[in-house]
Amino acid sequence: MNIVYASDDNFAEIMGVSILSLFENNKDEFDIKVYILDSGIKDENREKLNSLTKKYGNQLFFINTQNISKELNSIKQDRGGASQFARLFLSKLLPDSCDKALYIDCDTIIRHSLKDFYETDFGENICCGVMDCISKQHRAKLGLKENETYINSGVMLINLCTWRNYNIEGKIKSIVKKFDGNVPYADQGIVNLALQGRIKCVHPKYNCISVYTAFSFNDLLEYRQPSACLSSIEIEEAKIDPVIAHFVTLFCMSRPWIKK
């Protein structure tokens, strides 16, 4: 199982907790290879991550992202620094032998086995992810139709063979150029535009984002006014027992590692 994270040193500790939860709750399922898209992790934290991985008998690879700096130069970075955009160049950064990879944001806890999710049938799609709850105005800024699929890019199962065959990185560069580097909603906007029509939506238990736990279903509809949304039953199932809990930034709640 190929798992990908992206981090700089500021988020290395948070990522370490996520990786621990990954290993602890997937002991009997797969041999796990973790690829970290490294945007400046210090040696001390690298050693901690290596020690953790060896304890569980898995493999860890650090991939320096400096070789994609030219691609990143024209992108306006609104949050997270360069590491947030590294996932856009997975087919260039990962070994050619990787035909499939699961990208996971650092601010996550993996609570159960990922076997069923990892073995999801792509069909004709390039990516599997969880629908985000956004408005038609949000979609319109990107040029998407009112009910066009739009996923949260913090957890993405990617068919790298198809990604390469459809030259998605070429599409990404074209999108960045079209918006003069200032693509609405940053890397997430880019992903959804580049993969338009090739995204398979999966159950929100595989990426239970904070907005689903912070609001009741009715309040969520009022707050986000989505033009397309998951069902109340699916969201409730995800809230009760998420496979991946994703602690995204949200105005009304603090993230778990923030004191007080």
Side-chain angles (χ1 to χ4, degrees):
M1 182 162 63
N2 302 311
I3 303 292
V4 181
Y5 288 88
S7 184
D8 56 18
D9 198 64
N10 293 324
F11 241 64
E13 184 177 14
I14 307 303
M15 177 177 62
V17 175
S18 182
I19 292 174
L20 173 59
S21 72
L22 166 71
F23 291 161
E24 187 64 28
N25 291 307
N26 288 269
K27 290 177 181 176
D28 303 320
E29 303 294 357
F30 296 94
D31 293 326
I32 300 174
K33 291 183 179 180
V34 175
Y35 297 90
I36 296 177
L37 309 184
D38 180 359
S39 296
I41 299 173
K42 293 180 180 177
D43 289 343
E44 178 184 358
N45 282 327
R46 283 187 175 211
E47 284 301 314
K48 290 179 181 178
L49 292 165
N50 274 317
S51 177
L52 171 65
T53 305
K54 289 177 182 177
K55 176 182 175 182
Y56 284 88
N58 294 313
Q59 298 180 66
L60 178 66
F61 305 92
F62 291 93
I63 299 176
N64 192 314
T65 60
Q66 288 182 347
N67 61 345
I68 62 166
S69 59
K70 291 182 180 179
E71 282 87 348
L72 295 176
N73 277 343
S74 60
I75 301 176
K76 307 296 189 300
Q77 298 176 25
D78 68 336
R79 57 185 172 84
S83 63
Q84 75 179 100
F85 291 98
R87 77 189 87 174
L88 302 177
F89 302 95
L90 282 183
S91 67
K92 184 176 294 186
L93 293 169
L94 295 182
D96 292 340
S97 58
C98 288
D99 59 358
K100 177 169 65 172
L102 176 57
Y103 171 84
I104 304 176
D105 268 355
C106 298
D107 52 351
T108 55
I109 293 291
I110 290 81
R111 301 181 65 252
H112 297 298
S113 166
L114 295 177
K115 183 177 187 294
D116 288 345
F117 182 29
Y118 196 76
E119 294 180 348
T120 299
D121 183 4
F122 286 99
E124 297 297 318
N125 299 294
I126 298 173
C127 174
C128 298
V130 171
M131 185 186 297
D132 211 336
C133 188
I134 61 168
S135 68
K136 63 180 180 181
Q137 291 84 2
H138 189 124
R139 286 177 168 83
K141 283 186 179 179
L142 284 165
L144 294 174
K145 296 177 181 177
E146 186 172 322
N147 293 316
E148 190 82 53
T149 298
Y150 184 98
I151 60 168
N152 179 280
S153 63
V155 177
M156 298 186 296
L157 181 65
I158 298 171
N159 184 333
L160 287 169
C161 293
T162 315
W163 180 289
R164 294 179 181 113
N165 290 340
Y166 279 85
N167 188 25
I168 296 302
E169 288 176 13
K171 291 184 178 181
I172 287 169
K173 292 175 184 178
S174 297
I175 290 165
V176 172
K177 185 177 181 180
K178 175 184 175 182
F179 285 91
D180 194 26
N182 192 22
V183 183
Y185 317 111
D187 53 302
Q188 186 160 284
I190 295 171
V191 163
N192 279 280
L193 273 177
L195 299 178
Q196 194 173 356
R198 294 282 180 178
I199 299 172
K200 180 175 184 176
C201 289
V202 296
H203 196 285
K205 66 183 178 181
Y206 295 122
N207 184 7
C208 187
I209 55 179
S210 301
V211 72
Y212 292 144
T213 58
F215 296 95
S216 69
F217 185 71
N218 288 335
D219 286 344
L220 177 63
L221 296 183
E222 184 176 349
Y223 165 48
R224 285 288 179 92
Q225 298 183 349
S227 54
C229 189
L230 295 158
S231 72
S232 60
I233 293 174
E234 287 177 310
I235 291 176
E236 194 60 31
E237 288 172 345
K239 289 165 66 171
I240 291 171
D241 192 21
V243 175
I244 301 177
H246 187 185
F247 302 100
V248 300
T249 303
L250 197 61
F251 74 92
C252 61
M253 64 191 299
S254 295
R255 295 157 112 181
W257 56 88
I258 306 299
K259 290 182 180 180
K260 301 185 179 180

